[in-house]
Amino acid sequence: NTEKAMEQLYHLLKSLGEDIKPNTINAPMAMVDFSSLKQMLGGARKDVLLQLPPMTDRNKLMAMKLMAMLVLYYNQQMTHLSGYFSCKMIRMSIQHGHCEDTVFALSVFACATMNFLGDTNEAASLAKCALSMSRLYNSEQLIPRIYSRIYGGVLCFTQPMATSLPPMLKAC
């Protein structure tokens, strides 16, 4: 049952120090958070993400994994909570260091910047930042999760399609 699984995820997050009540998060709140983070990371400031230390707190690492699952679920449901959780993950990374799931959150954030705010240049810049950060991790697991968003959702609109096809095929 999906509802029980979601309850369990939120219960686990609470035990890890992340007490999130999804019913209290509405679309306007998520958009304010999204816009605030976009402004904070605007221009060259996103390079700060690449200079962060790796995340070492095991509770935060597990919380990031659980929130990544929520992003996937809410993205499929096409709700504002997908963007909310990607923002929360990026903010957690800024405070506690980056991890593989930071790369995923950045790729989701880049797509949302493109789709919801129509900011092609900033979306492309965020996508390239996510690609740079992905090089810090030698993880084949990241490729399907991030390439589809980065190349299929952002960079295919900012560079020739021929350059996006090989990475998108690699994601399959």
Side-chain angles (χ1 to χ4, degrees):
N1 182 333
T2 305
E3 194 172 305
K4 283 192 181 263
M6 297 305 287
E7 285 176 20
Q8 188 64 29
L9 275 174
Y10 284 108
H11 176 74
L12 289 169
L13 280 168
K14 185 175 183 178
S15 72
L16 294 168
E18 301 299 322
D19 191 9
I20 301 163
K21 305 212 180 338
N23 296 334
T24 64
I25 304 160
N26 59 34
M29 283 174 54
M31 191 53 125
V32 166
D33 190 39
F34 185 85
S35 296
S36 165
L37 185 60
K38 179 186 171 278
Q39 187 173 8
M40 184 171 83
L41 296 176
R45 292 180 292 225
K46 67 189 67 51
D47 290 341
V48 168
L49 293 170
L50 298 171
Q51 297 165 6
L52 292 171
M55 188 179 286
T56 56
D57 183 318
R58 295 175 62 92
N59 285 348
K60 298 299 179 193
L61 286 164
M62 182 53 67
M64 290 286 282
K65 290 272 179 232
L66 294 174
M67 285 189 282
M69 285 188 243
L70 289 170
V71 168
L72 286 170
Y73 173 76
Y74 288 124
N75 197 34
Q76 184 182 25
Q77 301 300 309
M78 296 173 30
T79 77
H80 61 279
L81 289 170
S82 176
Y84 171 82
F85 278 106
S86 69
C87 288
K88 186 158 183 60
M89 292 171 71
I90 293 168
R91 289 184 192 279
M92 185 180 287
S93 298
I94 290 168
Q95 290 180 336
H96 300 283
H98 60 75
C99 62
E100 285 182 11
D101 291 301
T102 306
V103 179
F104 172 64
L106 270 173
S107 68
V108 171
F109 191 73
C111 258
T113 299
M114 178 79 155
N115 294 326
F116 296 118
L117 301 180
D119 191 339
T120 306
N121 291 334
E122 192 61 27
S125 183
L126 286 161
K128 289 174 184 173
C129 180
L131 284 173
S132 294
M133 188 177 283
S134 75
R135 291 183 191 102
L136 300 173
Y137 299 96
N138 191 14
S139 176
E140 290 293 314
Q141 295 174 0
L142 273 175
I143 291 173
R145 291 196 307 160
I146 67 169
Y147 278 21
S148 58
R149 286 166 178 80
I150 290 172
Y151 290 102
V154 178
L155 296 181
C156 66
F157 298 105
T158 63
Q159 58 190 31
M161 182 58 89
T163 61
S164 292
L165 288 176
M168 286 173 45
L169 287 171
K170 189 173 182 180
C172 297

